Amino acid sequence: LQRWLGYQNKLDPAKLDFEELCSFFFNNFNHDGTLHWFEDEWNKTVGLNIFDSKFDKERGFSSYKNGKISALVLSTHVDDTNKIVALSEFLEQEVPSVSKENTGESRVSSEVYLKLKETMIEQEELVNRLLSSDYSRFFFSNEMLDSFREQWS
């Protein structure tokens, strides 16, 4: 959490006053960091620029290869059945199941997460900026982006 908030001390969201957490999230959180993660982190580390290719928006996943590097990129919105398909195709072997781990609703601070999620609905300008980004348009179809906009408004 402190990395994303640009805060040096370790933060425990469960111990923060909700108003303080909202203030940190909306005023200090680098929302653009998520939009540029592939350029700033992935490309430099892996040397594979997924933006040089297309992403299969309909399936919600694509695989990429550059020399000895192979990568599977999945949208967080892919259902579990299609995650199994994606992993099986990528690994060229059957993957029997995929379990959900580390979901916002399952964390110790799930109440805070859900309340913050509700607060996002009030942030129309931020939601529109994020959904209109090159990043969002690369990974999601116009129909999906419209659906997200409706969900967050």
Side-chain angles (χ1 to χ4, degrees):
L1 181 63
Q2 60 271 14
R3 175 178 184 264
W4 291 107
L5 294 175
Y7 192 70
Q8 298 306 313
N9 299 325
K10 187 169 181 163
L11 296 173
D12 180 353
K15 293 182 180 177
L16 288 176
D17 172 80
F18 184 73
E19 296 303 321
E20 184 181 15
L21 180 63
C22 283
S23 176
F24 267 99
F25 184 73
F26 293 117
N27 299 317
N28 297 80
F29 182 84
N30 180 9
H31 298 282
D32 290 335
T34 303
L35 302 178
H36 301 288
W37 182 83
F38 278 99
E39 293 96 334
D40 296 344
E41 305 279 345
W42 173 268
N43 293 355
K44 292 176 184 176
T45 304
V46 179
L48 177 63
N49 186 350
I50 67 166
F51 298 113
D52 287 342
S53 303
K54 291 192 176 212
F55 182 78
D56 190 334
K57 297 174 186 179
E58 189 169 319
R59 292 180 85 189
F61 61 88
S62 288
S63 59
Y64 303 91
K65 188 166 179 66
N66 183 16
K68 294 182 179 182
I69 302 291
S70 295
L72 173 65
V73 177
L74 293 121
S75 169
T76 57
H77 298 88
V78 173
D79 66 36
D80 291 347
T81 301
N82 285 330
K83 287 176 189 164
I84 293 169
V85 170
L87 288 167
S88 296
E89 286 179 12
F90 181 72
L91 297 172
E92 297 178 346
Q93 65 182 38
E94 185 179 339
V95 174
S97 67
V98 175
S99 62
K100 291 184 182 190
E101 301 291 330
N102 197 25
T103 62
E105 293 83 1
S106 68
R107 296 184 190 132
V108 173
S109 55
S110 63
E111 305 83 30
V112 174
Y113 170 81
L114 293 171
K115 194 171 176 183
L116 185 60
K117 194 173 165 182
E118 288 175 17
T119 305
M120 277 296 293
I121 292 171
E122 301 167 10
Q123 304 295 320
E124 185 176 348
E125 182 180 324
L126 174 60
V127 169
N128 281 330
R129 184 170 64 81
L130 296 174
L131 294 178
S132 299
S133 69
D134 290 341
Y135 174 91
S136 294
R137 289 193 314 268
F138 180 79
F139 288 109
F140 303 109
S141 67
N142 289 334
E143 294 79 20
M144 288 187 81
L145 292 171
D146 289 343
S147 170
F148 296 154
R149 253 186 210 89
E150 191 174 304
Q151 176 186 345
W152 293 103
S153 59

